[in-house]
Amino acid sequence: QVHLVESGGDSVQAGGSLRLSCAAPGYTMHGNCMGWYRRVPGKEREGVAAIYRGVYDAAYYVDSVKGRFTISQDTANNTLYLEMSSLKPEDTATYYCAAEVLSCGARFFLRGARYYGQGTQVTVSS
């Protein structure tokens, strides 16, 4: 079992920015595909971004966040981040850190991940 702990969720105005963090005590992110997913009550969970750092480095985004969100991974501190800017009300959701994304590529959002954290709430008001 992988324990993922998210932090950084908050309430912001549209156009604002937030940075989400994810720690994984006892788990090495390097060499594993990590990601961020989000869910709105009553809707399916949505893949937001994924990153692989290991033999190669690559990051992937769902179209709705491209140019606004940046996923990154601090290997030294074993921490995953999601920098969110130009936030919109439709970004309001619970955001989940994920480990071992099942399809680590441009279409990562079509499948989920093996492990998820408990989630952190992001609320964007207009």
Side-chain angles (χ1 to χ4, degrees), residues 23-63:
Y27 178 79
T28 300
M29 293 183 182
H30 186 80
N32 287 294
C33 192
M34 304 295 296
W36 289 95
Y37 289 73
R38 65 187 179 187
R39 175 177 274 166
V40 175
K43 294 189 175 182
E44 293 286 324
R45 181 172 47 219
E46 175 188 35
V48 176
I51 186 169
Y52 176 82
R53 295 197 66 188
V55 177
Y56 61 91
D57 290 349
Y60 311 97
Y61 301 90
V62 69
D63 284 348

PDB file of all heavy atoms in Angstrom, residues 23-63:
ATOM      1  N   ALA A  23       3.136  14.356  -0.703  1.00  0.00           N
ATOM      2  CA  ALA A  23       4.244  13.602  -0.111  1.00  0.00           C
ATOM      3  C   ALA A  23       3.887  12.120  -0.103  1.00  0.00           C
ATOM      4  O   ALA A  23       2.715  11.755  -0.016  1.00  0.00           O
ATOM      5  CB  ALA A  23       4.513  14.095   1.306  1.00  0.00           C
ATOM      6  N   ALA A  24       4.920  11.301  -0.183  1.00  0.00           N
ATOM      7  CA  ALA A  24       4.707   9.850  -0.213  1.00  0.00           C
ATOM      8  C   ALA A  24       5.725   9.159   0.691  1.00  0.00           C
ATOM      9  O   ALA A  24       6.708   8.592   0.202  1.00  0.00           O
ATOM     10  CB  ALA A  24       4.817   9.329  -1.639  1.00  0.00           C
ATOM     11  N   PRO A  25       5.520   9.196   1.979  1.00  0.00           N
ATOM     12  CA  PRO A  25       6.475   8.586   2.909  1.00  0.00           C
ATOM     13  C   PRO A  25       6.707   7.118   2.616  1.00  0.00           C
ATOM     14  O   PRO A  25       5.765   6.341   2.467  1.00  0.00           O
ATOM     15  CB  PRO A  25       5.793   8.774   4.275  1.00  0.00           C
ATOM     16  CG  PRO A  25       4.844   9.895   4.091  1.00  0.00           C
ATOM     17  CD  PRO A  25       4.377   9.813   2.673  1.00  0.00           C
ATOM     18  N   GLY A  26       7.968   6.746   2.466  1.00  0.00           N
ATOM     19  CA  GLY A  26       8.303   5.346   2.248  1.00  0.00           C
ATOM     20  C   GLY A  26       8.151   4.871   0.821  1.00  0.00           C
ATOM     21  O   GLY A  26       8.376   3.689   0.530  1.00  0.00           O
ATOM     22  N   TYR A  27       7.792   5.739  -0.098  1.00  0.00           N
ATOM     23  CA  TYR A  27       7.595   5.375  -1.503  1.00  0.00           C
ATOM     24  C   TYR A  27       8.484   6.259  -2.368  1.00  0.00           C
ATOM     25  O   TYR A  27       8.562   7.461  -2.141  1.00  0.00           O
ATOM     26  CB  TYR A  27       6.130   5.576  -1.885  1.00  0.00           C
ATOM     27  CG  TYR A  27       5.790   5.273  -3.320  1.00  0.00           C
ATOM     28  CD1 TYR A  27       5.616   3.960  -3.748  1.00  0.00           C
ATOM     29  CD2 TYR A  27       5.641   6.289  -4.251  1.00  0.00           C
ATOM     30  CE1 TYR A  27       5.297   3.682  -5.068  1.00  0.00           C
ATOM     31  CE2 TYR A  27       5.322   6.017  -5.565  1.00  0.00           C
ATOM     32  CZ  TYR A  27       5.151   4.709  -5.970  1.00  0.00           C
ATOM     33  OH  TYR A  27       4.828   4.424  -7.274  1.00  0.00           O
ATOM     34  N   THR A  28       9.132   5.689  -3.351  1.00  0.00           N
ATOM     35  CA  THR A  28      10.022   6.451  -4.227  1.00  0.00           C
ATOM     36  C   THR A  28       9.280   6.819  -5.504  1.00  0.00           C
ATOM     37  O   THR A  28       8.909   5.945  -6.298  1.00  0.00           O
ATOM     38  CB  THR A  28      11.269   5.631  -4.564  1.00  0.00           C
ATOM     39  OG1 THR A  28      11.961   5.303  -3.357  1.00  0.00           O
ATOM     40  CG2 THR A  28      12.194   6.421  -5.480  1.00  0.00           C
ATOM     41  N   MET A  29       9.115   8.134  -5.705  1.00  0.00           N
ATOM     42  CA  MET A  29       8.404   8.585  -6.895  1.00  0.00           C
ATOM     43  C   MET A  29       9.242   8.407  -8.155  1.00  0.00           C
ATOM     44  O   MET A  29       8.708   8.113  -9.222  1.00  0.00           O
ATOM     45  CB  MET A  29       8.027  10.060  -6.736  1.00  0.00           C
ATOM     46  CG  MET A  29       7.010  10.317  -5.649  1.00  0.00           C
ATOM     47  SD  MET A  29       6.561  12.068  -5.593  1.00  0.00           S
ATOM     48  CE  MET A  29       5.422  12.073  -4.221  1.00  0.00           C
ATOM     49  N   HIS A  30      10.544   8.591  -8.025  1.00  0.00           N
ATOM     50  CA  HIS A  30      11.442   8.474  -9.176  1.00  0.00           C
ATOM     51  C   HIS A  30      11.317   7.085  -9.795  1.00  0.00           C
ATOM     52  O   HIS A  30      11.398   6.071  -9.113  1.00  0.00           O
ATOM     53  CB  HIS A  30      12.881   8.730  -8.725  1.00  0.00           C
ATOM     54  CG  HIS A  30      13.849   8.780  -9.861  1.00  0.00           C
ATOM     55  ND1 HIS A  30      14.014   9.901 -10.651  1.00  0.00           N
ATOM     56  CD2 HIS A  30      14.687   7.846 -10.355  1.00  0.00           C
ATOM     57  CE1 HIS A  30      14.920   9.651 -11.561  1.00  0.00           C
ATOM     58  NE2 HIS A  30      15.355   8.412 -11.407  1.00  0.00           N
ATOM     59  N   GLY A  31      11.073   7.062 -11.097  1.00  0.00           N
ATOM     60  CA  GLY A  31      10.917   5.787 -11.779  1.00  0.00           C
ATOM     61  C   GLY A  31       9.490   5.278 -11.823  1.00  0.00           C
ATOM     62  O   GLY A  31       9.230   4.215 -12.395  1.00  0.00           O
ATOM     63  N   ASN A  32       8.571   6.015 -11.225  1.00  0.00           N
ATOM     64  CA  ASN A  32       7.152   5.666 -11.258  1.00  0.00           C
ATOM     65  C   ASN A  32       6.358   6.819 -11.857  1.00  0.00           C
ATOM     66  O   ASN A  32       6.713   7.981 -11.686  1.00  0.00           O
ATOM     67  CB  ASN A  32       6.625   5.378  -9.849  1.00  0.00           C
ATOM     68  CG  ASN A  32       7.130   4.055  -9.320  1.00  0.00           C
ATOM     69  OD1 ASN A  32       6.792   2.988  -9.833  1.00  0.00           O
ATOM     70  ND2 ASN A  32       7.958   4.102  -8.285  1.00  0.00           N
ATOM     71  N   CYS A  33       5.285   6.508 -12.548  1.00  0.00           N
ATOM     72  CA  CYS A  33       4.456   7.541 -13.148  1.00  0.00           C
ATOM     73  C   CYS A  33       3.495   8.089 -12.096  1.00  0.00           C
ATOM     74  O   CYS A  33       2.683   7.338 -11.542  1.00  0.00           O
ATOM     75  CB  CYS A  33       3.685   6.990 -14.345  1.00  0.00           C
ATOM     76  SG  CYS A  33       2.912   8.272 -15.353  1.00  0.00           S
ATOM     77  N   MET A  34       3.623   9.377 -11.819  1.00  0.00           N
ATOM     78  CA  MET A  34       2.795  10.043 -10.812  1.00  0.00           C
ATOM     79  C   MET A  34       1.798  10.964 -11.504  1.00  0.00           C
ATOM     80  O   MET A  34       2.025  11.394 -12.648  1.00  0.00           O
ATOM     81  CB  MET A  34       3.677  10.856  -9.867  1.00  0.00           C
ATOM     82  CG  MET A  34       4.778  10.070  -9.187  1.00  0.00           C
ATOM     83  SD  MET A  34       4.141   8.823  -8.061  1.00  0.00           S
ATOM     84  CE  MET A  34       3.324   9.860  -6.832  1.00  0.00           C
ATOM     85  N   GLY A  35       0.733  11.300 -10.815  1.00  0.00           N
ATOM     86  CA  GLY A  35      -0.239  12.169 -11.456  1.00  0.00           C
ATOM     87  C   GLY A  35      -1.141  12.891 -10.476  1.00  0.00           C
ATOM     88  O   GLY A  35      -1.090  12.674  -9.266  1.00  0.00           O
ATOM     89  N   TRP A  36      -1.939  13.754 -11.035  1.00  0.00           N
ATOM     90  CA  TRP A  36      -2.993  14.465 -10.314  1.00  0.00           C
ATOM     91  C   TRP A  36      -4.313  14.203 -11.026  1.00  0.00           C
ATOM     92  O   TRP A  36      -4.396  14.315 -12.255  1.00  0.00           O
ATOM     93  CB  TRP A  36      -2.718  15.964 -10.255  1.00  0.00           C
ATOM     94  CG  TRP A  36      -1.594  16.342  -9.358  1.00  0.00           C
ATOM     95  CD1 TRP A  36      -0.301  16.549  -9.716  1.00  0.00           C
ATOM     96  CD2 TRP A  36      -1.656  16.556  -7.945  1.00  0.00           C
ATOM     97  NE1 TRP A  36       0.449  16.875  -8.621  1.00  0.00           N
ATOM     98  CE2 TRP A  36      -0.352  16.888  -7.518  1.00  0.00           C
ATOM     99  CE3 TRP A  36      -2.677  16.497  -7.000  1.00  0.00           C
ATOM    100  CZ2 TRP A  36      -0.051  17.172  -6.185  1.00  0.00           C
ATOM    101  CZ3 TRP A  36      -2.377  16.773  -5.672  1.00  0.00           C
ATOM    102  CH2 TRP A  36      -1.081  17.113  -5.266  1.00  0.00           C
ATOM    103  N   TYR A  37      -5.313  13.861 -10.255  1.00  0.00           N
ATOM    104  CA  TYR A  37      -6.661  13.672 -10.752  1.00  0.00           C
ATOM    105  C   TYR A  37      -7.585  14.578  -9.954  1.00  0.00           C
ATOM    106  O   TYR A  37      -7.226  15.055  -8.884  1.00  0.00           O
ATOM    107  CB  TYR A  37      -7.092  12.201 -10.589  1.00  0.00           C
ATOM    108  CG  TYR A  37      -6.372  11.261 -11.532  1.00  0.00           C
ATOM    109  CD1 TYR A  37      -5.040  10.926 -11.330  1.00  0.00           C
ATOM    110  CD2 TYR A  37      -7.026  10.721 -12.642  1.00  0.00           C
ATOM    111  CE1 TYR A  37      -4.379  10.081 -12.206  1.00  0.00           C
ATOM    112  CE2 TYR A  37      -6.378   9.870 -13.517  1.00  0.00           C
ATOM    113  CZ  TYR A  37      -5.047   9.558 -13.284  1.00  0.00           C
ATOM    114  OH  TYR A  37      -4.386   8.717 -14.156  1.00  0.00           O
ATOM    115  N   ARG A  38      -8.767  14.813 -10.472  1.00  0.00           N
ATOM    116  CA  ARG A  38      -9.732  15.619  -9.728  1.00  0.00           C
ATOM    117  C   ARG A  38     -11.137  15.052  -9.927  1.00  0.00           C
ATOM    118  O   ARG A  38     -11.422  14.377 -10.912  1.00  0.00           O
ATOM    119  CB  ARG A  38      -9.691  17.080 -10.165  1.00  0.00           C
ATOM    120  CG  ARG A  38     -10.114  17.351 -11.601  1.00  0.00           C
ATOM    121  CD  ARG A  38      -9.850  18.814 -11.949  1.00  0.00           C
ATOM    122  NE  ARG A  38     -10.227  19.112 -13.333  1.00  0.00           N
ATOM    123  CZ  ARG A  38      -9.977  20.277 -13.928  1.00  0.00           C
ATOM    124  NH1 ARG A  38      -9.348  21.250 -13.265  1.00  0.00           N
ATOM    125  NH2 ARG A  38     -10.365  20.466 -15.181  1.00  0.00           N
ATOM    126  N   ARG A  39     -11.978  15.359  -8.963  1.00  0.00           N
ATOM    127  CA  ARG A  39     -13.358  14.876  -9.021  1.00  0.00           C
ATOM    128  C   ARG A  39     -14.301  15.929  -8.484  1.00  0.00           C
ATOM    129  O   ARG A  39     -14.046  16.530  -7.442  1.00  0.00           O
ATOM    130  CB  ARG A  39     -13.513  13.577  -8.237  1.00  0.00           C
ATOM    131  CG  ARG A  39     -14.944  13.077  -8.140  1.00  0.00           C
ATOM    132  CD  ARG A  39     -15.019  11.766  -7.432  1.00  0.00           C
ATOM    133  NE  ARG A  39     -14.807  10.655  -8.349  1.00  0.00           N
ATOM    134  CZ  ARG A  39     -14.551   9.402  -7.952  1.00  0.00           C
ATOM    135  NH1 ARG A  39     -14.452   9.128  -6.681  1.00  0.00           N
ATOM    136  NH2 ARG A  39     -14.400   8.461  -8.838  1.00  0.00           N
ATOM    137  N   VAL A  40     -15.393  16.095  -9.210  1.00  0.00           N
ATOM    138  CA  VAL A  40     -16.494  16.939  -8.783  1.00  0.00           C
ATOM    139  C   VAL A  40     -17.626  16.006  -8.379  1.00  0.00           C
ATOM    140  O   VAL A  40     -17.874  15.015  -9.070  1.00  0.00           O
ATOM    141  CB  VAL A  40     -16.940  17.863  -9.930  1.00  0.00           C
ATOM    142  CG1 VAL A  40     -18.173  18.654  -9.527  1.00  0.00           C
ATOM    143  CG2 VAL A  40     -15.810  18.799 -10.327  1.00  0.00           C
ATOM    144  N   PRO A  41     -18.295  16.271  -7.283  1.00  0.00           N
ATOM    145  CA  PRO A  41     -19.397  15.388  -6.856  1.00  0.00           C
ATOM    146  C   PRO A  41     -20.378  15.136  -7.990  1.00  0.00           C
ATOM    147  O   PRO A  41     -20.802  16.067  -8.674  1.00  0.00           O
ATOM    148  CB  PRO A  41     -20.046  16.163  -5.707  1.00  0.00           C
ATOM    149  CG  PRO A  41     -18.931  16.965  -5.138  1.00  0.00           C
ATOM    150  CD  PRO A  41     -18.092  17.363  -6.320  1.00  0.00           C
ATOM    151  N   GLY A  42     -20.701  13.866  -8.208  1.00  0.00           N
ATOM    152  CA  GLY A  42     -21.650  13.506  -9.239  1.00  0.00           C
ATOM    153  C   GLY A  42     -21.030  13.282 -10.600  1.00  0.00           C
ATOM    154  O   GLY A  42     -21.734  12.923 -11.551  1.00  0.00           O
ATOM    155  N   LYS A  43     -19.708  13.496 -10.708  1.00  0.00           N
ATOM    156  CA  LYS A  43     -19.026  13.305 -11.992  1.00  0.00           C
ATOM    157  C   LYS A  43     -17.905  12.298 -11.849  1.00  0.00           C
ATOM    158  O   LYS A  43     -17.454  11.978 -10.745  1.00  0.00           O
ATOM    159  CB  LYS A  43     -18.477  14.636 -12.512  1.00  0.00           C
ATOM    160  CG  LYS A  43     -19.534  15.650 -12.881  1.00  0.00           C
ATOM    161  CD  LYS A  43     -18.905  16.849 -13.579  1.00  0.00           C
ATOM    162  CE  LYS A  43     -19.971  17.818 -14.052  1.00  0.00           C
ATOM    163  NZ  LYS A  43     -19.372  18.977 -14.780  1.00  0.00           N
ATOM    164  N   GLU A  44     -17.445  11.795 -12.994  1.00  0.00           N
ATOM    165  CA  GLU A  44     -16.329  10.856 -13.006  1.00  0.00           C
ATOM    166  C   GLU A  44     -15.029  11.581 -12.627  1.00  0.00           C
ATOM    167  O   GLU A  44     -14.870  12.772 -12.884  1.00  0.00           O
ATOM    168  CB  GLU A  44     -16.163  10.266 -14.412  1.00  0.00           C
ATOM    169  CG  GLU A  44     -17.305   9.382 -14.860  1.00  0.00           C
ATOM    170  CD  GLU A  44     -17.286   8.049 -14.168  1.00  0.00           C
ATOM    171  OE1 GLU A  44     -16.179   7.529 -13.909  1.00  0.00           O
ATOM    172  OE2 GLU A  44     -18.374   7.527 -13.874  1.00  0.00           O
ATOM    173  N   ARG A  45     -14.128  10.821 -12.034  1.00  0.00           N
ATOM    174  CA  ARG A  45     -12.805  11.371 -11.755  1.00  0.00           C
ATOM    175  C   ARG A  45     -12.103  11.692 -13.076  1.00  0.00           C
ATOM    176  O   ARG A  45     -12.192  10.931 -14.037  1.00  0.00           O
ATOM    177  CB  ARG A  45     -11.986  10.369 -10.953  1.00  0.00           C
ATOM    178  CG  ARG A  45     -10.592  10.840 -10.593  1.00  0.00           C
ATOM    179  CD  ARG A  45      -9.937   9.868  -9.645  1.00  0.00           C
ATOM    180  NE  ARG A  45     -10.102   8.513 -10.116  1.00  0.00           N
ATOM    181  CZ  ARG A  45     -10.340   7.466  -9.311  1.00  0.00           C
ATOM    182  NH1 ARG A  45     -10.423   7.645  -8.019  1.00  0.00           N
ATOM    183  NH2 ARG A  45     -10.474   6.268  -9.814  1.00  0.00           N
ATOM    184  N   GLU A  46     -11.400  12.810 -13.105  1.00  0.00           N
ATOM    185  CA  GLU A  46     -10.747  13.282 -14.330  1.00  0.00           C
ATOM    186  C   GLU A  46      -9.236  13.370 -14.130  1.00  0.00           C
ATOM    187  O   GLU A  46      -8.778  13.931 -13.121  1.00  0.00           O
ATOM    188  CB  GLU A  46     -11.291  14.665 -14.684  1.00  0.00           C
ATOM    189  CG  GLU A  46     -10.630  15.322 -15.860  1.00  0.00           C
ATOM    190  CD  GLU A  46     -11.059  16.769 -16.064  1.00  0.00           C
ATOM    191  OE1 GLU A  46     -11.289  17.458 -15.059  1.00  0.00           O
ATOM    192  OE2 GLU A  46     -11.143  17.198 -17.220  1.00  0.00           O
ATOM    193  N   GLY A  47      -8.505  12.856 -15.082  1.00  0.00           N
ATOM    194  CA  GLY A  47      -7.061  13.011 -15.038  1.00  0.00           C
ATOM    195  C   GLY A  47      -6.686  14.430 -15.389  1.00  0.00           C
ATOM    196  O   GLY A  47      -7.207  14.990 -16.355  1.00  0.00           O
ATOM    197  N   VAL A  48      -5.796  15.035 -14.622  1.00  0.00           N
ATOM    198  CA  VAL A  48      -5.393  16.419 -14.829  1.00  0.00           C
ATOM    199  C   VAL A  48      -3.997  16.483 -15.432  1.00  0.00           C
ATOM    200  O   VAL A  48      -3.775  17.169 -16.431  1.00  0.00           O
ATOM    201  CB  VAL A  48      -5.426  17.199 -13.501  1.00  0.00           C
ATOM    202  CG1 VAL A  48      -4.912  18.619 -13.699  1.00  0.00           C
ATOM    203  CG2 VAL A  48      -6.838  17.209 -12.937  1.00  0.00           C
ATOM    204  N   ALA A  49      -3.042  15.804 -14.811  1.00  0.00           N
ATOM    205  CA  ALA A  49      -1.661  15.838 -15.276  1.00  0.00           C
ATOM    206  C   ALA A  49      -0.935  14.600 -14.783  1.00  0.00           C
ATOM    207  O   ALA A  49      -1.305  14.019 -13.762  1.00  0.00           O
ATOM    208  CB  ALA A  49      -0.950  17.093 -14.778  1.00  0.00           C
ATOM    209  N   ALA A  50       0.090  14.212 -15.526  1.00  0.00           N
ATOM    210  CA  ALA A  50       0.918  13.071 -15.133  1.00  0.00           C
ATOM    211  C   ALA A  50       2.368  13.389 -15.450  1.00  0.00           C
ATOM    212  O   ALA A  50       2.661  14.187 -16.346  1.00  0.00           O
ATOM    213  CB  ALA A  50       0.472  11.802 -15.851  1.00  0.00           C
ATOM    214  N   ILE A  51       3.255  12.742 -14.713  1.00  0.00           N
ATOM    215  CA  ILE A  51       4.686  12.981 -14.917  1.00  0.00           C
ATOM    216  C   ILE A  51       5.449  11.699 -14.668  1.00  0.00           C
ATOM    217  O   ILE A  51       5.116  10.905 -13.786  1.00  0.00           O
ATOM    218  CB  ILE A  51       5.183  14.118 -13.987  1.00  0.00           C
ATOM    219  CG1 ILE A  51       6.633  14.481 -14.303  1.00  0.00           C
ATOM    220  CG2 ILE A  51       5.034  13.722 -12.527  1.00  0.00           C
ATOM    221  CD1 ILE A  51       7.091  15.776 -13.604  1.00  0.00           C
ATOM    222  N   TYR A  52       6.476  11.500 -15.495  1.00  0.00           N
ATOM    223  CA  TYR A  52       7.407  10.405 -15.279  1.00  0.00           C
ATOM    224  C   TYR A  52       8.809  10.978 -15.260  1.00  0.00           C
ATOM    225  O   TYR A  52       9.198  11.717 -16.160  1.00  0.00           O
ATOM    226  CB  TYR A  52       7.298   9.348 -16.378  1.00  0.00           C
ATOM    227  CG  TYR A  52       8.331   8.263 -16.225  1.00  0.00           C
ATOM    228  CD1 TYR A  52       8.118   7.201 -15.348  1.00  0.00           C
ATOM    229  CD2 TYR A  52       9.540   8.312 -16.928  1.00  0.00           C
ATOM    230  CE1 TYR A  52       9.077   6.215 -15.178  1.00  0.00           C
ATOM    231  CE2 TYR A  52      10.495   7.332 -16.759  1.00  0.00           C
ATOM    232  CZ  TYR A  52      10.268   6.282 -15.877  1.00  0.00           C
ATOM    233  OH  TYR A  52      11.222   5.306 -15.704  1.00  0.00           O
ATOM    234  N   ARG A  53       9.544  10.644 -14.217  1.00  0.00           N
ATOM    235  CA  ARG A  53      10.950  11.022 -14.140  1.00  0.00           C
ATOM    236  C   ARG A  53      11.718   9.744 -13.821  1.00  0.00           C
ATOM    237  O   ARG A  53      11.502   9.117 -12.780  1.00  0.00           O
ATOM    238  CB  ARG A  53      11.190  12.081 -13.066  1.00  0.00           C
ATOM    239  CG  ARG A  53      10.504  13.407 -13.370  1.00  0.00           C
ATOM    240  CD  ARG A  53      11.085  14.522 -12.526  1.00  0.00           C
ATOM    241  NE  ARG A  53      12.467  14.773 -12.902  1.00  0.00           N
ATOM    242  CZ  ARG A  53      13.265  15.585 -12.216  1.00  0.00           C
ATOM    243  NH1 ARG A  53      12.845  16.193 -11.130  1.00  0.00           N
ATOM    244  NH2 ARG A  53      14.492  15.782 -12.613  1.00  0.00           N
ATOM    245  N   GLY A  54      12.560   9.361 -14.734  1.00  0.00           N
ATOM    246  CA  GLY A  54      13.327   8.137 -14.532  1.00  0.00           C
ATOM    247  C   GLY A  54      14.287   7.956 -15.678  1.00  0.00           C
ATOM    248  O   GLY A  54      15.191   8.770 -15.866  1.00  0.00           O
ATOM    249  N   VAL A  55      14.048   6.960 -16.472  1.00  0.00           N
ATOM    250  CA  VAL A  55      14.871   6.724 -17.660  1.00  0.00           C
ATOM    251  C   VAL A  55      14.738   7.901 -18.624  1.00  0.00           C
ATOM    252  O   VAL A  55      15.679   8.251 -19.338  1.00  0.00           O
ATOM    253  CB  VAL A  55      14.451   5.408 -18.334  1.00  0.00           C
ATOM    254  CG1 VAL A  55      15.236   5.183 -19.605  1.00  0.00           C
ATOM    255  CG2 VAL A  55      14.630   4.233 -17.365  1.00  0.00           C
ATOM    256  N   TYR A  56      13.585   8.520 -18.643  1.00  0.00           N
ATOM    257  CA  TYR A  56      13.338   9.739 -19.408  1.00  0.00           C
ATOM    258  C   TYR A  56      12.473  10.650 -18.560  1.00  0.00           C
ATOM    259  O   TYR A  56      11.962  10.236 -17.523  1.00  0.00           O
ATOM    260  CB  TYR A  56      12.650   9.412 -20.745  1.00  0.00           C
ATOM    261  CG  TYR A  56      11.305   8.740 -20.582  1.00  0.00           C
ATOM    262  CD1 TYR A  56      10.141   9.474 -20.505  1.00  0.00           C
ATOM    263  CD2 TYR A  56      11.226   7.355 -20.493  1.00  0.00           C
ATOM    264  CE1 TYR A  56       8.914   8.852 -20.329  1.00  0.00           C
ATOM    265  CE2 TYR A  56      10.015   6.723 -20.316  1.00  0.00           C
ATOM    266  CZ  TYR A  56       8.858   7.477 -20.240  1.00  0.00           C
ATOM    267  OH  TYR A  56       7.660   6.862 -20.063  1.00  0.00           O
ATOM    268  N   ASP A  57      12.331  11.878 -18.952  1.00  0.00           N
ATOM    269  CA  ASP A  57      11.465  12.824 -18.258  1.00  0.00           C
ATOM    270  C   ASP A  57      10.351  13.251 -19.198  1.00  0.00           C
ATOM    271  O   ASP A  57      10.625  13.660 -20.338  1.00  0.00           O
ATOM    272  CB  ASP A  57      12.251  14.067 -17.814  1.00  0.00           C
ATOM    273  CG  ASP A  57      13.231  13.756 -16.697  1.00  0.00           C
ATOM    274  OD1 ASP A  57      13.162  12.647 -16.135  1.00  0.00           O
ATOM    275  OD2 ASP A  57      14.072  14.618 -16.384  1.00  0.00           O
ATOM    276  N   ALA A  58       9.117  13.200 -18.732  1.00  0.00           N
ATOM    277  CA  ALA A  58       7.994  13.627 -19.565  1.00  0.00           C
ATOM    278  C   ALA A  58       6.827  14.039 -18.676  1.00  0.00           C
ATOM    279  O   ALA A  58       6.657  13.501 -17.577  1.00  0.00           O
ATOM    280  CB  ALA A  58       7.557  12.505 -20.498  1.00  0.00           C
ATOM    281  N   ALA A  59       6.044  14.971 -19.155  1.00  0.00           N
ATOM    282  CA  ALA A  59       4.841  15.426 -18.456  1.00  0.00           C
ATOM    283  C   ALA A  59       3.690  15.487 -19.442  1.00  0.00           C
ATOM    284  O   ALA A  59       3.893  15.773 -20.624  1.00  0.00           O
ATOM    285  CB  ALA A  59       5.071  16.791 -17.821  1.00  0.00           C
ATOM    286  N   TYR A  60       2.491  15.212 -18.946  1.00  0.00           N
ATOM    287  CA  TYR A  60       1.310  15.154 -19.792  1.00  0.00           C
ATOM    288  C   TYR A  60       0.179  15.896 -19.107  1.00  0.00           C
ATOM    289  O   TYR A  60       0.079  15.886 -17.875  1.00  0.00           O
ATOM    290  CB  TYR A  60       0.901  13.691 -20.027  1.00  0.00           C
ATOM    291  CG  TYR A  60       2.049  12.808 -20.457  1.00  0.00           C
ATOM    292  CD1 TYR A  60       2.745  12.031 -19.524  1.00  0.00           C
ATOM    293  CD2 TYR A  60       2.459  12.751 -21.789  1.00  0.00           C
ATOM    294  CE1 TYR A  60       3.806  11.233 -19.912  1.00  0.00           C
ATOM    295  CE2 TYR A  60       3.519  11.947 -22.177  1.00  0.00           C
ATOM    296  CZ  TYR A  60       4.190  11.192 -21.232  1.00  0.00           C
ATOM    297  OH  TYR A  60       5.237  10.407 -21.623  1.00  0.00           O
ATOM    298  N   TYR A  61      -0.688  16.519 -19.920  1.00  0.00           N
ATOM    299  CA  TYR A  61      -1.790  17.301 -19.382  1.00  0.00           C
ATOM    300  C   TYR A  61      -3.072  17.029 -20.162  1.00  0.00           C
ATOM    301  O   TYR A  61      -3.041  16.817 -21.373  1.00  0.00           O
ATOM    302  CB  TYR A  61      -1.477  18.800 -19.471  1.00  0.00           C
ATOM    303  CG  TYR A  61      -0.237  19.203 -18.719  1.00  0.00           C
ATOM    304  CD1 TYR A  61       1.007  19.206 -19.329  1.00  0.00           C
ATOM    305  CD2 TYR A  61      -0.317  19.588 -17.379  1.00  0.00           C
ATOM    306  CE1 TYR A  61       2.146  19.560 -18.628  1.00  0.00           C
ATOM    307  CE2 TYR A  61       0.822  19.955 -16.680  1.00  0.00           C
ATOM    308  CZ  TYR A  61       2.046  19.936 -17.304  1.00  0.00           C
ATOM    309  OH  TYR A  61       3.162  20.295 -16.608  1.00  0.00           O
ATOM    310  N   VAL A  62      -4.181  17.112 -19.462  1.00  0.00           N
ATOM    311  CA  VAL A  62      -5.458  17.095 -20.146  1.00  0.00           C
ATOM    312  C   VAL A  62      -5.629  18.461 -20.804  1.00  0.00           C
ATOM    313  O   VAL A  62      -5.105  19.475 -20.315  1.00  0.00           O
ATOM    314  CB  VAL A  62      -6.604  16.790 -19.141  1.00  0.00           C
ATOM    315  CG1 VAL A  62      -6.812  17.934 -18.165  1.00  0.00           C
ATOM    316  CG2 VAL A  62      -7.878  16.433 -19.863  1.00  0.00           C
ATOM    317  N   ASP A  63      -6.313  18.510 -21.931  1.00  0.00           N
ATOM    318  CA  ASP A  63      -6.393  19.748 -22.710  1.00  0.00           C
ATOM    319  C   ASP A  63      -6.912  20.938 -21.903  1.00  0.00           C
ATOM    320  O   ASP A  63      -6.456  22.066 -22.094  1.00  0.00           O
ATOM    321  CB  ASP A  63      -7.292  19.537 -23.931  1.00  0.00           C
ATOM    322  CG  ASP A  63      -6.603  18.747 -25.035  1.00  0.00           C
ATOM    323  OD1 ASP A  63      -5.371  18.546 -24.960  1.00  0.00           O
ATOM    324  OD2 ASP A  63      -7.303  18.315 -25.966  1.00  0.00           O
TER     325      ASP A  63
END
